[in-house]
Amino acid sequence: MTNYLSSVKLFFKRYLLVLFFYQICRLLFFFFNKNAFENVAAKSFLGGILFDISALAFINIIFALFHFIPGNFKYKTRYQKTLKISFFVINFVFILTNFVDFEYYKFTGRRSTFGMITASGMENEIGGLIFSFLIEFWHLPLLAILLGVTFWKLIPSLKMMAEQNADWSLIAKQTGIFLLLMGFILLLGRGGIQKKPIGIVSAVNYGSINQSALVLNTPFCILKTIGKKETLESPKYYSEQELNSIFSPITEFKTEGNPNKKNVVIIILESFGRENIQRGQTPFLDELIKKSLFFENGFANGKLSIDAVPSTLSSIPSLMNTSLITSSYSINEVYGLPKILKENGYQTAFFHGAFNGSQNFDQYCKVAGFDNYFGKNEYVGPEAFDGRWGIFDEEFMQYFSSKMTEFKQPFFSTIFTISSHNPYIIPEKYKGKFPKGTTKIQESIAYADFALKRFFETASKQEWYKNTLFVITADHTSSEPTEKKFKTNVGKFRVPILFFDPSNPSMVGKNLKNLQQIDIMPSIIDYLNIDSKMITYGKSYQSDKDFVVYYLDNIYHYVSGDYYLAFDGKKSIGLYNFKNDELLKTNLMKIEKAKATEMERFIKAYIQSFNERMIGNKLTLQ
């Protein structure tokens, strides 16, 4: 029995050792992302231990079995060596997944899941990017090696003892202990004896709304999503009749007169978060804003580039843990700008200077109904490959302008820029020409602004220019916010949105309405004076409605007027007047109960409508 208990103790010593290294990883995660968190409390770190224990229980359940199972074979030297090596390898691989989020979290705003780590669409770029990332983040592999060596040296071994003859009573005792211990491991895995096992969303119970990532660990998030496709369920908050009375995505534009047949050009700027403009890095865009209708309270619908395209072009919000383009709903029929404008005589095209297939944009363009896709493969012009992603913005935007000159009017074109994406490469000839700013991205932001200026200089000389509506936005915010107000769950989604029509001087000014990417499609249709009936989860800029909805860390975020509500799918967990309280310090849930109830009623209807239509492939009107 002594040998058996020694094997049991050995497992728990090893388990606690890994748990200790998970705490090191959480501290490192916080160190590398400290700018993203404000007013961090000990509760977040202590609560995180529960999620570490759960992840480790599932990762090591097979080792628990091999340590706890009765039998003298466990005390063989070869068995113990194999057990120790495999324990090290498997646990160290999972430890390393935390390292991914030391930097990746800056871009996504959430812990990585299985779907995020294995997402397709980056096959062509990955070789160059890995080399670039290893150079830029050289300290991470070095830190990983140091951690790995230390981990291996600290793993305890079983002191070999003489084998004992096992009688039936001893085997029975060991079997009883085995069953109890395995049950205990399963209990640790589910996170306790509560009704339901802990999940990713449970993290909100152990810290403030925007600290879930600090509570969680990456292995836990991977395990909870591994092998799972994004499968939505209808929450059935309301009957169909009540649902439609609260919120309906069916929008109809009944206009007087004929459509104005203006060309439409949408420019999606990579990582141009609201915090990066009007601060000296973007002189051209700053001046263009003065000539445009600029939405001071503009919001992105997601934290990834891949979220921005369906949101902007098809008015479909990103309300899932998986981006629509890579989800099981990616082939759902959509009725967005490409199809609507094509029905009204427009030629349509999408431009992206990266490798063809990047982010699966080319596939989505087929679903969305674009006539043509122009990527790196189609580019014709001076040699301008950046060595990693694709064609530098300056040259590709010149190509963009020249292609539109070939198009028959009216046309609808969209371009997604790439140069202000990590690793933030700018052409050698411009090194030292732009202000570097205070964060890594800002020099490339300045270069992209310069490329935008060059585009408008060229475009303004073309015959089609004055008959064109330009819409400019960003795909998402950048990875390193510079001010506290851009670190909150409101601020981290703030992006510029502006409408510029060179022939309409009355369309100028600052608009304080809450507007987000999914509002761009209905706003364009409204502005063009096109009769249309569609499914849209946004609203026109000319509408009286004043809301935005986005999703992050399993929390639905709803902004209406001056208020922001956080809703976890079952209950509201925070209400703030974000315009008076930019840092979201005062939770008004108990003070303004009526407002919280009103907003919760709307967000429930919004979620139910989205889920049911996505499940039923009803994003179009038959």
Side-chain angles (χ1 to χ4, degrees):
M1 194 68 175
T2 303
N3 281 341
Y4 183 78
L5 293 178
S6 295
S7 182
V8 169
K9 290 177 182 177
L10 178 65
F11 170 79
F12 283 110
K13 285 179 181 178
R14 290 177 174 177
Y15 181 92
L16 291 173
L17 176 64
V18 188
L19 183 62
F20 169 73
F21 276 94
Y22 270 51
Q23 307 321 302
I24 293 176
C25 288
R26 178 168 286 103
L27 290 171
L28 288 170
F29 174 79
F30 176 64
F31 173 78
F32 286 111
N33 295 281
K34 56 182 178 295
N35 287 335
F37 301 105
E38 294 290 331
N39 303 316
V40 175
K43 183 180 179 182
S44 296
F45 289 92
L46 293 174
I49 296 174
L50 176 65
F51 293 84
D52 298 342
I53 289 172
S54 174
L56 287 173
F58 285 122
I59 293 168
N60 291 285
I61 193 167
I62 188 68
F63 297 113
L65 175 68
F66 290 149
H67 279 84
F68 300 161
I69 193 169
N72 285 332
F73 62 90
K74 297 197 303 296
Y75 315 124
K76 301 287 187 182
T77 302
R78 182 177 294 178
Y79 182 93
Q80 287 297 326
K81 283 186 177 179
T82 302
L83 201 57
K84 182 177 180 179
I85 293 170
S86 55
F87 177 87
F88 167 77
V89 171
I90 291 176
N91 278 282
F92 188 57
V93 166
F94 275 101
I95 285 172
L96 288 179
T97 64
N98 284 300
F99 277 61
V100 172
D101 283 329
F102 291 172
E103 291 296 334
Y104 195 38
Y105 175 80
K106 292 182 174 68
F107 302 95
T108 64
R110 61 179 185 247
R111 287 279 188 168
S112 295
T113 61
F114 181 76
M116 290 171 68
I117 288 178
T118 59
S120 60
M122 299 289 290
E123 293 84 358
N124 290 312
E125 300 98 324
I126 197 68
L129 288 175
I130 285 179
F131 179 73
S132 176
F133 290 158
L134 286 175
I135 293 176
E136 182 177 359
F137 305 117
W138 57 269
H139 52 282
L140 292 183
L142 191 65
L143 191 58
I145 292 170
L146 179 63
L147 203 70
V149 170
T150 306
F151 178 39
W152 171 254
K153 287 185 174 295
L154 291 179
I155 297 177
S157 300
L158 184 69
K159 184 179 180 181
M160 297 301 170
M161 300 179 184
E163 294 182 14
Q164 297 175 333
N165 293 323
D167 56 32
W168 286 109
S169 62
L170 185 61
I171 292 175
K173 288 179 182 178
Q174 292 180 358
T175 302
I177 295 172
F178 166 75
L179 294 174
L180 285 173
L181 290 174
M182 291 304 296
F184 178 65
I185 295 298
L186 291 172
L187 187 66
L188 294 179
R190 75 188 306 280
I193 59 174
Q194 69 283 351
K195 188 176 181 181
K196 288 186 177 181
I198 58 171
I200 294 174
V201 72
S202 305
V204 298
N205 298 319
Y206 298 91
S208 64
I209 296 171
N210 66 336
Q211 291 178 14
S212 292
L214 193 57
V215 176
L216 294 165
N217 60 75
T218 307
F220 181 87
C221 295
I222 291 172
L223 290 170
K224 286 292 181 178
T225 55
I226 194 167
K228 292 182 180 178
K229 289 186 176 181
E230 184 75 44
T231 304
L232 297 173
E233 296 180 358
S234 172
K236 298 294 183 185
Y237 298 122
Y238 306 108
S239 65
E240 183 177 354
Q241 183 178 357
E242 190 177 8
L243 172 66
N244 291 329
S245 70
I246 303 170
F247 172 78
S248 173
I250 300 174
T251 300
E252 185 171 10
F253 291 102
K254 285 286 187 181
T255 61
E256 296 180 3
N258 297 320
N260 59 41
K261 295 293 184 179
K262 283 183 177 291
N263 306 309
V264 178
V265 173
I266 296 178
I267 301 173
I268 304 174
L269 300 171
E270 172 66 54
S271 300
F272 262 66
R274 182 67 178 80
E275 70 273 20
N276 284 318
I277 67 171
Q278 297 175 318
R279 282 166 172 75
Q281 301 295 126
T282 56
F284 175 75
L285 186 58
D286 295 348
E287 286 301 311
L288 189 62
I289 284 172
K290 296 176 184 177
K291 305 172 186 177
S292 308
L293 179 62
F294 178 67
F295 293 90
E296 180 67 31
N297 294 305
F299 291 84
N301 279 95
K303 284 292 290 176
L304 300 174
S305 300
I306 202 170
D307 296 328
V309 172
S311 295
T312 303
L313 303 180
S314 303
S315 196
I316 301 173
S318 179
L319 299 184
M320 303 184 290
N321 289 315
T322 304
S323 298
L324 173 64
I325 291 178
T326 56
S327 75
S328 56
Y329 304 105
S330 61
I331 58 173
N332 276 12
E333 188 177 356
V334 296
Y335 185 61
L337 280 171
K339 290 181 181 177
I340 295 172
L341 294 180
K342 190 173 181 179
E343 289 173 359
N344 283 271
Y346 282 69
Q347 180 176 348
T348 62
F350 186 93
F351 292 75
H352 188 222
F355 285 96
N356 290 47
S358 177
Q359 313 266 14
N360 293 317
F361 286 160
D362 54 347
Q363 294 180 31
Y364 188 74
C365 284
K366 292 177 182 177
V367 173
F370 277 101
D371 292 322
N372 298 106
Y373 176 90
F374 297 92
K376 179 179 179 293
N377 292 1
E378 289 74 27
Y379 168 74
V380 176
E383 173 57 39
F385 178 51
D386 67 7
R388 300 291 186 271
W389 277 105
I391 308 302
F392 282 117
D393 283 351
E394 181 184 8
E395 286 80 6
F396 196 75
M397 293 191 84
Q398 293 299 306
Y399 168 70
F400 175 51
S401 178
S402 67
K403 290 301 294 182
M404 287 190 291
T405 301
E406 299 173 8
F407 292 165
K408 179 183 176 181
Q409 297 187 61
F411 58 77
F412 165 52
S413 293
T414 300
I415 185 170
F416 200 127
T417 68
I418 70 168
S419 291
S420 43
H421 189 291
N422 192 294
Y424 314 122
I425 302 168
I426 66 171
E428 195 65 36
K429 62 183 178 181
Y430 291 126
K431 293 289 176 67
K433 297 289 181 68
F434 301 111
K436 291 187 177 294
T438 56
T439 60
K440 289 183 292 184
I441 193 175
Q442 288 180 343
E443 184 179 18
S444 64
I445 289 283
Y447 163 70
D449 180 75
F450 170 76
L452 186 66
K453 176 185 177 183
R454 291 269 293 111
F455 164 75
F456 272 93
E457 287 174 347
T458 302
S460 64
K461 299 173 185 177
Q462 309 307 314
E463 180 270 332
W464 49 264
Y465 177 74
K466 288 190 176 180
N467 188 43
T468 301
L469 169 67
F470 294 90
V471 178
I472 300 178
T473 188
D475 56 344
H476 52 72
T477 54
S478 59
S479 61
E480 297 178 271
T482 53
E483 296 182 38
K484 289 182 178 180
K485 67 179 181 179
F486 293 117
K487 299 176 184 180
T488 70
N489 279 335
V490 173
K492 66 176 62 172
F493 282 84
R494 299 286 289 268
V495 295
I497 300 178
L498 63 91
F499 293 179
F500 171 62
D501 184 342
S503 66
N504 186 358
S506 65
M507 198 178 185
V508 175
K510 184 180 289 187
N511 190 308
L512 297 180
K513 176 177 287 188
N514 297 308
L515 203 87
Q516 63 184 141
Q517 290 162 339
I518 57 172
D519 298 328
I520 289 174
M521 183 183 94
S523 294
I524 289 174
I525 298 303
D526 197 3
Y527 185 73
L528 295 178
N529 202 40
I530 293 175
D531 280 348
S532 186
K533 191 174 183 180
M534 66 191 81
I535 298 294
T536 168
Y537 282 88
K539 78 282 182 188
S540 168
Y541 76 103
Q542 299 189 70
S543 165
D544 293 331
K545 298 174 182 177
D546 191 20
F547 72 88
V548 301
V549 177
Y550 47 92
Y551 179 81
L552 181 69
D553 266 348
N554 296 278
I555 303 296
Y556 297 92
H557 305 272
Y558 169 38
V559 172
S560 178
D562 295 351
Y563 288 87
Y564 157 69
L565 181 82
F567 179 72
D568 70 2
K570 294 182 179 179
K571 64 182 184 303
S572 297
I573 55 178
L575 175 70
Y576 304 85
N577 186 317
F578 79 96
K579 291 185 179 177
N580 293 334
D581 178 19
E582 286 187 322
L583 301 183
L584 307 185
K585 290 184 175 181
T586 306
N587 192 335
L588 304 174
M589 282 286 296
K590 295 180 180 180
I591 301 171
E592 300 197 35
K593 294 181 180 179
K595 188 66 179 179
T597 300
E598 171 197 332
M599 292 182 69
E600 182 176 311
R601 185 168 182 264
F602 177 87
I603 191 62
K604 283 181 174 179
Y606 194 92
I607 295 166
Q608 182 175 334
S609 174
F610 174 84
N611 285 13
E612 290 180 352
R613 286 189 176 274
M614 192 65 72
I615 293 166
N617 194 7
K618 296 179 179 179
L619 296 174
T620 62
L621 296 169
Q622 302 301 325

